[in-house]
Amino acid sequence: SQTIHQWPATLVQPVGSPLSLECTVEGTSNPNLYWYRQAAGRGLQLLFYSVGIGQISSEVPQNLSASRPQDRQFILSSKKLLLSDSGFYLCAFIQWDGSYNSPLHFGNGTRLTVT
Amino acid sequence: DAKTTQPNSMESNEEEPVHLPCNHSTISGTDYIHWYRQLPSQGPEYVIHGLTSNVNNRMASLAIAEDRKSSTLILHRATLRDAAVYYCILRDVGTSGTYKYIFGTGTRLKVLA
């Protein structure tokens, strides 16, 4: 079966520090990968999505970036965090079943607090 | 922008059925309708999805209007554990033909004991 792992679960970082969040998927090949952010009390905001290694589409550029160095690895980064980057970061994937019609599967998320 | 509209909140009594509506008037012929729910401090959980016909699974039923411009998620007997934010979303086509999923604000379901 397919699983998705995110780490760390919680993170407290000072303003101006760098960020690296990692997401890995197991049990499937060629997944579509997604990064979402949820601010406190708000809905999910799509940040980035990827169809393959090195292929990244951005919805909200800001000061965040994403990379996909391997088929089942998705990384969210920032060079300098802002207070507004605080939130709940979620990675998700859709497995390739011949059509990408299967549902999104989410990880458990990383709760980031920028102080 | 999200392609769906849902009521902000709904209430239900425990053990009673719940009908959560969703409007998606701009749906295209190949768009699947997906429903997810999110419990506090957790990532969204898949509930059900469908294209044209009504769908049933162990969690819920999905009733899709004949013109596909609206759908209803049906929880047959609400329990306290069903209290969550329910999202109805459509698949959108992004750059390079990639599928992306834009979430709206969802419906916050409160279940009364």
Side-chain angles (χ1 to χ4, degrees), chain A residues 20-108:
Chain A
S20 180
L21 300 180
E22 189 164 342
C23 169
T24 59
V25 178
E26 295 178 357
T28 187
S29 297
N30 304 316
N32 279 357
L33 296 170
Y34 303 82
W35 276 112
Y36 288 87
R37 177 173 63 195
Q38 188 171 36
R42 308 292 295 274
L44 280 78
Q45 179 186 34
L46 178 62
L47 300 176
F48 301 95
Y49 53 101
S50 171
V51 296
I53 296 173
Q55 301 179 62
I56 308 295
S57 297
S58 173
E59 287 287 298
V60 185
Q62 295 186 351
N63 67 320
L64 297 173
S65 62
S67 62
R68 185 170 177 175
Q70 300 179 44
D71 182 46
R72 289 170 287 183
Q73 185 184 30
F74 206 22
I75 298 172
L76 182 70
S77 303
S78 174
K79 292 182 179 178
K80 288 186 177 182
L81 283 169
L82 307 172
L83 286 174
S84 57
D85 291 325
S86 293
F88 192 37
Y89 287 81
L90 290 152
C91 182
F93 78 96
I94 289 182
Q95 72 171 81
W96 171 249
D97 60 359
S99 64
Y100 289 121
N101 282 327
S102 58
L104 276 168
H105 297 277
F106 284 84
N108 290 327

Side-chain angles (χ1 to χ4, degrees), chain B residues 3-72:
Chain B
K3 298 165 66 175
T4 62
T5 55
Q6 301 175 253
N8 287 333
S9 62
M10 291 184 66
E11 282 188 2
S12 172
N13 293 319
E14 200 176 9
E15 301 295 318
E16 290 187 356
V18 181
H19 290 233
L20 298 167
C22 180
N23 287 322
H24 28 79
S25 58
T26 61
I27 192 169
S28 72
T30 56
D31 277 343
Y32 276 77
I33 303 156
H34 291 243
W35 283 83
Y36 296 82
R37 72 179 186 182
Q38 187 176 21
L39 301 172
S41 299
Q42 294 187 26
E45 172 190 30
Y46 166 74
V47 178
I48 201 167
H49 76 296
L51 184 61
T52 55
S53 303
N54 294 343
V55 185
N56 299 294
N57 66 21
R58 63 176 178 81
M59 291 181 69
S61 295
L62 176 60
I64 301 172
E66 194 169 339
D67 63 6
R68 302 207 329 119
K69 293 185 177 181
S70 65
S71 61
T72 301

Side-chain angles (χ1 to χ4, degrees), chain A residues 11-17 81-87 112-115:
Chain A
L11 190 60
V12 180
Q13 293 283 102
V15 168
S17 64
L81 283 169
L82 307 172
L83 286 174
S84 57
D85 291 325
S86 293
L112 171 68
T113 303
V114 182
T115 60

Side-chain angles (χ1 to χ4, degrees), chain B residues 78-95:
Chain B
T79 70
L80 296 178
R81 289 175 295 178
D82 291 323
V85 178
Y86 286 79
Y87 297 97
C88 163
I89 65 172
L90 301 182
R91 187 173 64 185
D92 199 358
V93 179
T95 58

